[in-house]
Amino acid sequence: MFQFKTGLFIFCIIFLTTFKTAALETGPYQNTPSVEFDSENDSGFYYTIQTGDTLWGLSQKFYHSQWDWPGLWEMNKDIKNPHWIYPGNKIRLFLKKETARYQKAPEVRPLADVDPSFVVAGMDYAGFIRKTAVPALGTITREKNGKELITVKDIIYIKPSGKGSLIPEETCLVFSTRKINETINQTRIKGVKHQIKAKVKILEHQVNFATAVVVDADTEISTGDKIMALYPRENRLTVEESPAPIDASIICSEDDTVLLNDQRIAFIDRGRAHNVKPGQIYSVFQALEPSYRQTRSSSELTPVNIGKLIVLHTEETTSTVLILSSTKEIHPGDEVR
C-alpha cells in the first residue's frame, strides 16, 4: 500500500496568554476528555490519541470540519505519516482562529470561492483492477548484485517483452498482477488486480536486456515483477461529498488484507460506466449479521453505516478507493452507496 501524504500547509500561529485562558473556558476543547493545557511550558493544548482516532476524525471532532486535518499534521512534526497515529501519544491542537485562512468556506460565501480539494501525493502508486492485464514492457530478471529483495538505488536487469520500448532516461513503473475471480453478493467479479510497487529510470537498452535504477519505491520489488510506462495522475481531487447513489460492493483491498480500516486502499465493483468519478465520497454499509453479505435479496436486516471512502481512480467497471474513516472493520462484500 502506498504512503499517502498531503502538501505542505503553512500555518501562522498567534497565541496570546489571555486568549488561551478564554479558549479553555469557551473554546472547542471545553469538557473534552484527554485534552490538557501545557501550562508549564506555555506551549498550547494537547490531546491524547485514543484507539480508533484519525487526523481526519479529530479534525471533525474539534473543528467541526474534516478539512482542517492538514493543520494538525503540520503542527505535529513528529507525525511522519498522517495516516498513522498511535494511541497514547499526544498531539498539539491549534486554535480555530489560527487557521481561519484554511477553513472550509462558510455557506454565505459564493460557491466559486470554495476549494473543497483532497491532496494525495503518491497517486502514481494507486493500483487498479482491469478486465485484462496491462501489456508489460519487460520483466525484472535479477538485481545487479543478486539481491532477492530489491529497493531504492538498486540496479536491475530487465528482459524486454517486445511490446514497447524501454527508452534510456525515461521513468517507468514496476508492477505485479493477480487474477480476480470471486463472487461478491451473488455477482461474479473477474479481472486482473495491478499493484504498483516502484519507479525506475531506464539506464540502457541492449538487444536482449535493459538496465534500470530504482528511484522510488512503495514496497519491495522482486524478480518476476513487470515494467509498464509511467502515466502521471492528478494528485489533487475535487471533492464531491453527495454524489448520486450507487449500488456497489467492496471487492478486496490493495494488499489483500481481509479486514480493512482507515487509510487502506480498496477496490469497488463500479466505475466510469456507472458515473463514478475521482473525488466522490460514498458511505460504507455493513449488515448486522455476516449472513446478510451473502445475498442482496435479504430484506429482513438493515445494514448500518460504518464508514466513508473517497474515489481515487476509476476504470470502466471498477474503482480504486481510500477508506477515510470507519467505526468497524470493513470486509469484502460490504455495500458502498
Side-chain angles (χ1 to χ4, degrees):
M1 183 185 74
F2 67 91
Q3 300 286 332
F4 287 86
K5 302 177 183 176
T6 60
L8 180 62
F9 287 76
I10 303 176
F11 289 87
C12 179
I13 308 303
I14 304 172
F15 211 104
L16 300 177
T17 302
T18 55
F19 189 64
K20 294 175 188 174
T21 304
L24 274 172
E25 297 173 351
T26 62
Y29 320 122
Q30 183 183 15
N31 299 324
T32 303
S34 302
V35 174
E36 57 190 72
F37 177 62
D38 187 355
S39 56
E40 180 178 348
N41 298 312
D42 196 34
S43 57
F45 299 99
Y46 287 83
Y47 170 79
T48 301
I49 298 170
Q50 309 296 309
T51 301
D53 280 341
T54 63
L55 292 187
W56 174 277
L58 293 177
S59 176
Q60 178 67 43
K61 178 177 182 178
F62 291 115
Y63 311 114
H64 307 294
S65 170
Q66 62 267 39
W67 306 109
D68 285 319
W69 71 267
L72 290 173
W73 184 32
E74 174 62 22
M75 179 166 285
N76 293 273
K77 302 295 185 182
D78 57 326
I79 299 178
K80 304 304 181 184
N81 187 329
H83 308 302
W84 297 101
I85 59 177
Y86 302 96
N89 290 353
K90 292 183 179 181
I91 62 172
R92 185 181 176 189
L93 305 174
F94 53 79
L95 294 181
K96 189 67 171 179
K97 183 175 291 187
E98 295 172 343
T99 58
R101 177 181 174 185
Y102 303 94
Q103 296 175 36
K104 199 171 182 181
E107 294 182 3
V108 294
R109 289 180 56 186
L111 186 59
D113 291 342
V114 182
D115 181 23
S117 58
F118 186 87
V119 179
V120 184
M123 277 289 289
D124 292 344
Y125 290 113
F128 53 88
I129 294 177
R130 289 186 182 174
K131 291 184 178 180
T132 57
V134 171
L137 299 178
T139 303
I140 297 175
T141 57
R142 66 185 294 266
E143 192 270 337
K144 181 179 180 180
N145 298 314
K147 293 172 59 177
E148 293 185 3
L149 298 178
I150 306 167
T151 186
V152 176
K153 297 184 179 180
D154 288 343
I155 304 295
I156 58 174
Y157 289 89
I158 303 169
K159 180 180 179 181
S161 66
K163 298 180 180 179
S165 299
L166 295 166
I167 303 174
E169 299 301 318
E170 285 199 353
T171 300
C172 296
L173 297 176
V174 178
F175 73 105
S176 62
T177 59
R178 181 177 75 83
K179 289 185 177 180
I180 301 292
N181 188 1
E182 301 177 12
T183 299
I184 304 293
N185 293 326
Q186 295 187 327
T187 299
R188 197 70 172 173
I189 307 295
K190 290 185 177 182
V192 179
K193 185 182 73 170
H194 296 67
Q195 181 183 8
I196 314 299
K197 292 186 171 184
K199 294 180 182 179
V200 298
K201 184 173 74 172
I202 305 301
L203 299 177
E204 62 176 344
H205 188 179
Q206 303 293 337
V207 176
N208 297 319
F209 74 93
T211 59
V213 58
V214 182
V215 295
D216 190 34
D218 184 56
T219 187
E220 292 175 329
I221 310 164
S222 303
T223 57
D225 286 341
K226 305 170 185 177
I227 306 294
M228 72 165 74
L230 174 67
Y231 49 101
R233 297 173 180 164
E234 176 58 50
N235 68 351
R236 181 179 293 274
L237 305 177
T238 299
V239 173
E240 184 181 348
E241 294 190 69
S242 301
I246 58 172
D247 183 19
S249 297
I250 301 287
I251 300 174
C252 61
S253 69
E254 183 179 50
D255 57 1
D256 291 326
T257 302
V258 176
L259 303 178
L260 298 170
N261 49 29
D262 298 356
Q263 308 308 320
R264 290 281 187 177
I265 299 294
F267 307 100
I268 63 173
D269 61 349
R270 294 291 185 271
R272 292 192 296 267
H274 310 92
N275 295 317
V276 178
K277 301 175 183 178
Q280 292 176 335
I281 292 180
Y282 294 99
S283 294
V284 182
F285 290 82
Q286 190 175 90
L288 299 177
E289 297 180 11
S291 60
Y292 181 85
R293 290 194 296 275
Q294 305 304 319
T295 174
R296 288 186 177 180
S297 62
S298 177
S299 60
E300 65 272 13
L301 295 174
T302 301
V304 295
N305 189 334
I306 63 166
K308 287 188 178 295
L309 56 79
I310 186 170
V311 178
L312 300 181
H313 170 79
T314 57
E315 296 289 331
E316 188 65 19
T317 58
T318 62
S319 296
T320 306
V321 301
L322 170 67
I323 307 298
L324 293 174
S325 61
S326 58
T327 58
K328 297 176 61 179
E329 291 175 324
I330 297 172
H331 304 78
D334 285 342
E335 297 182 16
V336 177
R337 43 191 163 106

